Amino acid sequence: MAEKILLVDDDVAFVETLTFNLRHIGYRVVTAVNGAVALQQAHREEPDLIILDLMLPELDGLTVCRNLRQTSDWPILMLTARTGELDKIIGLESGADDYLTKPFSLGELLARIRALLRRANPRASVHQLRCHDLTLNLVSWRAQLGDHELILSPREFSLLAELMRHRGVVLTRDLLLSRTWGEDFYGDSRTVDVHVRWLREKIEVYPANPARIVTVRGIGYRFEG
């Protein structure tokens, strides 16, 4: 089952936009618009990770964070428009696991989310990659789509794993070539295109109109899930 994220922010437009993006990538999302509701939601929903704005009505983010830390060890990523070093120190010492200042890119946020989830559940993240009904077991090198096992070549498996590890992030062809084939490989980057085409034939509902591995024209590919 996809990880559940509790998103706490009083900016309704921001919450709606980020919720849409996180759900599109594959996370389950519950929300709260103030500190009091955030505490209720956290204990009711038991999320895998909490994204917590610092400036909140009723109870501010620091108070919420301290309260949560008395009873739980959920990973907390604190968001704020404040950029001062002291604000970051106070946030981290209040119990936050990471700190991100607004504005930020979706790619950076996703990278921090994945890092926090890996720390919280290292065994699952090391051995397995999962997005919706697609699962890769990195120990047995087995791939499964729904109830069916996928037959992937070692290159296809490695390429898909690299894309899934960076879900939502654009990876260039050269980067994928280097990480999948190795830095000593002297082949053309079009090799990546060929293997992506083969992967799409195995994991996409409509390979000609892919929804999982999306082409970013002139750059490379992004795994959407």
Side-chain angles (χ1 to χ4, degrees):
M1 185 175 292
E3 295 95 341
K4 183 189 295 185
I5 295 175
L6 171 59
L7 173 59
V8 186
D9 199 297
D10 62 337
D11 185 333
V12 176
F14 172 80
V15 168
E16 290 178 349
T17 300
L18 188 52
T19 297
F20 173 83
N21 283 299
L22 291 173
R23 285 177 176 166
H24 181 70
I25 291 166
Y27 293 110
R28 293 178 294 157
V29 183
V30 292
T31 64
V33 295
N34 65 57
V37 173
L39 291 175
Q40 295 172 4
Q41 286 282 67
H43 293 291
R44 180 187 304 119
E45 298 289 343
E46 297 188 346
D48 297 289
L49 179 141
I50 299 172
I51 299 176
L52 178 64
D53 188 40
L54 185 60
M55 303 298 293
L56 294 170
E58 295 195 30
L59 293 174
D60 62 72
L62 292 177
T63 302
V64 172
C65 189
R66 293 189 188 105
N67 189 300
L68 289 172
R69 278 293 168 257
Q70 293 177 9
T71 57
S72 74
D73 58 356
W74 292 309
I76 297 175
L77 172 58
M78 191 165 283
L79 302 179
T80 183
R82 296 178 177 178
T83 59
E85 181 180 4
L86 181 59
D87 294 311
K88 295 180 182 180
I89 292 172
I90 293 174
L92 293 171
E93 290 189 345
S94 295
D97 297 281
D98 201 356
Y99 196 103
L100 188 58
T101 57
K102 300 178 181 178
F104 52 82
S105 69
L106 180 61
E108 181 179 8
L109 175 63
L110 292 175
R112 290 174 183 262
I113 288 173
R114 285 192 292 268
L116 288 173
L117 289 173
R118 279 198 302 270
R119 286 180 226 157
N121 191 10
R123 180 176 298 275
S125 60
V126 167
H127 297 326
Q128 185 171 271
L129 295 172
R130 176 179 294 174
C131 186
H132 299 301
D133 58 346
L134 179 61
T135 304
L136 298 187
N137 187 306
L138 303 180
V139 176
S140 64
W141 274 61
R142 298 180 69 178
Q144 190 163 338
L145 182 62
D147 296 327
H148 304 287
E149 185 169 355
L150 293 173
I151 306 302
L152 302 179
S153 71
R155 293 290 190 206
E156 290 171 341
F157 187 97
S158 297
L159 178 59
L160 182 56
E162 192 66 28
L163 288 163
M164 289 180 67
R165 284 191 189 98
H166 299 86
R167 184 172 53 181
V169 178
V170 180
L171 300 178
T172 67
R173 288 174 174 83
D174 288 339
L175 181 61
L176 288 169
L177 193 67
S178 172
R179 291 186 175 178
T180 304
W181 278 262
E183 295 182 358
D184 296 331
F185 181 77
Y186 293 104
D188 194 288
S189 62
R190 284 175 294 184
T191 301
V192 175
D193 299 334
V194 173
H195 281 74
V196 165
R197 185 173 73 249
W198 292 342
L199 280 174
R200 283 171 171 167
E201 291 172 356
K202 295 178 179 181
I203 70 172
E204 299 281 2
V205 177
Y206 304 106
N209 186 25
R212 292 181 186 268
I213 304 177
V214 178
T215 300
V216 180
R217 193 170 299 277
I219 303 176
Y221 298 98
R222 180 180 64 244
F223 186 82
E224 294 284 4

